[in-house]
Amino acid sequence: MPWSTRQLADLAGTTVKAVRYYHDAGLLDEPERAANGYKRYGVEHLLRVLQIRRLVELGMPLERVATMERADRHPVAAIRELDDEIAATIERLEGVRSELALILRHRSPIDLPEGFAAAGERVSEADRSLLMVMSRVLDADALAELRSVMDRRDPSDDEFDALADDASDAEIEALATRMAERVAADAREMTALGDLGAHLSGRRDLAIGAVGEAIAHAYRPAQLRVLIRIGELTG
Amino acid sequence: MPWSTRQLADLAGTTVKAVRYYHDAGLLDEPERAANGYKRYGVEHLLRVLQIRRLVELGMPLERVATMERADRHPVAAIRELDDEIAATIERLEGVRSELALILRHRSPIDLPEGFAAAGERVSEADRSLLMVMSRVLDADALAELRSVMDRRDPSDDEFDALADDASDAEIEALATRMAERVAADAREMTALGDLGAHLSGRRDLAIGAVGEAIAHAYRPAQLRVLIRIGELTG
DNA sequence: TTGCTCCTCACGTCACGTGAGGTGGC
DNA sequence: TTGCTCCTCACGTCACGTGAGGTGGC
């Protein structure tokens, strides 16, 4: 005897709504109806639904299921295509997992850009927001140098982080002088960071402005004075 | 100077529509507007969008991004949860890939149920549709036995597949006799298949009916006569 | 009559994409 | 004036899920 929609769905291991959706999508022929309008499904419908479910479980989108020749029992190309897509997805997810692992291992905050997790806890909040912007605005070479710079931590960095808002000119001058030497040394070694203008990605005008805004937003006035003074000292 | 929606989107590496969606979803504060109604974004908006994008790229759904404490810079639990979900997804996809590999290796048709790819090319179309239904209706024990039965192929199976529609009673009797012996032997060894009634999954009434319908659909009248005769011979 | 099933709309989901129609800036 | 940008709806996507409102069967 014929099956109702619910029975068909149960037999096929799916839902009533899915079966109706396959009708709407033109994947499954409508069966004949009983006098009261109830649908009456037969084995051919069950087989079709099982075939659809199989392909769906193998990750095939319904649209591709629809266009697949029913005659073609062994569509090698379609299967390889599916496999390639799945392989790519897995690769992406593996990448995400290794990033998550880095974040956990270094106990680094989540709002550090990709690849900077190793810098971990040492990074101040101001530096974090700056890094986020930088990571969007610099090219790969400059970012690589930025990563290695982040690994060098100097006592003067702590002084800079802790600089009082009402620091005197003398304090600022002293700190800037101590930091300028290292900044100059870094700049000689880090050629990309030393010539940032040539290592911007995306729209140059936007990029330059964004870095400026980010710096102004990240640091307090006293710190900005130090940065300006360092700029003057290192020419 | 403030940024337009497009500029913000470009800086954050996303689209204008995504930014607007984050407003709608309550993830991103609306900035102040210029006299003409244009939005004017600042660094704080850029940082927020970058943070959202980072989490999204790590696979976090926006709803979870929304409920995450902005103060919590290192949400270990949330990260582990994400990782677990991704790990489960990868595992599922690996499973699908190994199935696809089996299908390709054995050049088996796609409308064979999971785990039967090894039976490959040898399976007739009738058997394929029967297997599809069986795989939904039998329990794990019975399915395992069914798999090993499928690996045994006897010359009489070819005769059965090729049986003429107008086969004489004598031909049918002869074939049934030849096949009955092996069927009886299989039934002694395969205890689950020998007692199918005890190894149905899902709703028993539906399951039994479905197997009957599937058999009636899969085989031609002459073949059905052979099957009935085998049933009588093996008691 | 009660509880269960069937039917057909219609709308919701998720994270946006795609026009539609109108305005502002240079 | 032209071409480009901005704005706000409104609807589309994908594979269904969730009611809503009405009917049939026992």
Side-chain angles (χ1 to χ4, degrees), chain A residues 6-84:
Chain A
R6 163 137 308 281
Q7 290 174 325
L8 180 72
D10 284 351
L11 281 171
T14 182
T15 70
V16 168
K17 283 295 177 178
V19 171
R20 290 187 182 139
Y21 184 72
Y22 299 151
H23 286 313
D24 288 351
L27 289 174
L28 179 65
D29 291 339
E30 290 232 1
E32 43 160 46
R33 307 238 176 186
N36 56 14
Y38 287 19
K39 298 198 188 75
R40 298 156 55 88
Y41 293 98
V43 209
E44 65 276 19
H45 301 101
L46 175 57
L47 288 172
R48 178 62 177 157
V49 174
L50 287 174
Q51 193 184 22
I52 295 171
R53 292 306 306 171
R54 185 78 224 282
L55 294 174
V56 166
E57 275 160 21
L58 292 177
M60 192 174 290
L62 288 187
E63 197 168 354
R64 232 180 290 171
V65 173
T67 59
M68 258 188 50
E69 289 288 324
R70 297 194 190 196
D72 188 359
R73 299 258 154 250
H74 187 58
V76 178
I79 293 176
R80 285 197 205 286
E81 193 182 350
L82 253 189
D83 192 55
D84 288 349

Side-chain angles (χ1 to χ4, degrees), chain B residues 98-154:
Chain B
S98 59
E99 273 202 69
L100 291 177
L102 273 180
I103 291 175
L104 285 175
R105 179 160 351 121
H106 295 287
R107 287 184 298 217
S108 65
I110 27 149
D111 47 358
L112 266 181
E114 185 184 342
F116 282 85
E121 303 164 284
R122 298 190 305 282
V123 186
S124 70
E125 187 173 341
D127 285 345
R128 276 206 301 270
S129 58
L130 207 50
L131 281 179
M132 289 287 270
V133 174
M134 294 293 225
S135 72
R136 284 291 319 158
V137 142
L138 299 184
D139 70 8
D141 291 342
L143 279 180
E145 291 187 359
L146 193 55
R147 281 195 193 91
S148 58
V149 165
M150 291 308 298
D151 287 339
R152 311 178 184 177
R153 183 86 192 172
D154 191 271

Side-chain angles (χ1 to χ4, degrees), chain A residues 33-192:
Chain A
R33 307 238 176 186
N36 56 14
Y38 287 19
K39 298 198 188 75
R40 298 156 55 88
Y41 293 98
V43 209
E44 65 276 19
H45 301 101
L46 175 57
L47 288 172
R48 178 62 177 157
V49 174
L50 287 174
Q51 193 184 22
I52 295 171
R53 292 306 306 171
R54 185 78 224 282
L55 294 174
V56 166
E57 275 160 21
L58 292 177
M60 192 174 290
L62 288 187
E63 197 168 354
R64 232 180 290 171
V65 173
T67 59
M68 258 188 50
E69 289 288 324
R70 297 194 190 196
D72 188 359
R73 299 258 154 250
H74 187 58
V76 178
I79 293 176
R80 285 197 205 286
E81 193 182 350
L82 253 189
D83 192 55
D84 288 349
E85 289 166 8
I86 298 176
T89 302
I90 290 178
E91 207 163 328
R92 192 176 54 78
L93 293 179
E94 302 279 22
V96 170
R97 282 203 77 190
S98 60
E99 274 203 69
L100 291 177
L102 273 179
I103 292 174
L104 284 174
R105 178 159 353 120
H106 295 288
R107 286 184 299 219
S108 64
I110 28 149
D111 48 356
L112 266 181
E114 184 183 343
F116 283 85
E121 304 163 285
R122 301 191 303 281
V123 186
S124 69
E125 187 174 340
D127 285 345
R128 276 206 301 270
S129 57
L130 207 50
L131 281 178
M132 289 287 271
V133 174
M134 294 293 226
S135 72
R136 284 292 318 161
V137 143
L138 298 185
D139 69 9
D141 290 341
L143 280 180
E145 290 187 1
L146 193 55
R147 283 194 193 92
S148 60
V149 165
M150 291 309 298
D151 288 338
R152 311 178 181 178
R153 183 86 191 171
D154 191 272
S156 62
D157 291 336
D158 294 327
E159 281 181 72
F160 180 81
D161 287 346
L163 188 67
D165 284 351
D166 58 352
S168 68
D169 286 350
E171 287 175 294
I172 286 178
E173 182 67 26
L175 180 53
T177 309
R178 277 200 297 285
M179 293 181 75
E181 252 181 71
R182 188 162 60 95
V183 168
D186 282 352
R188 275 190 299 276
E189 188 185 339
M190 308 287 178
T191 56

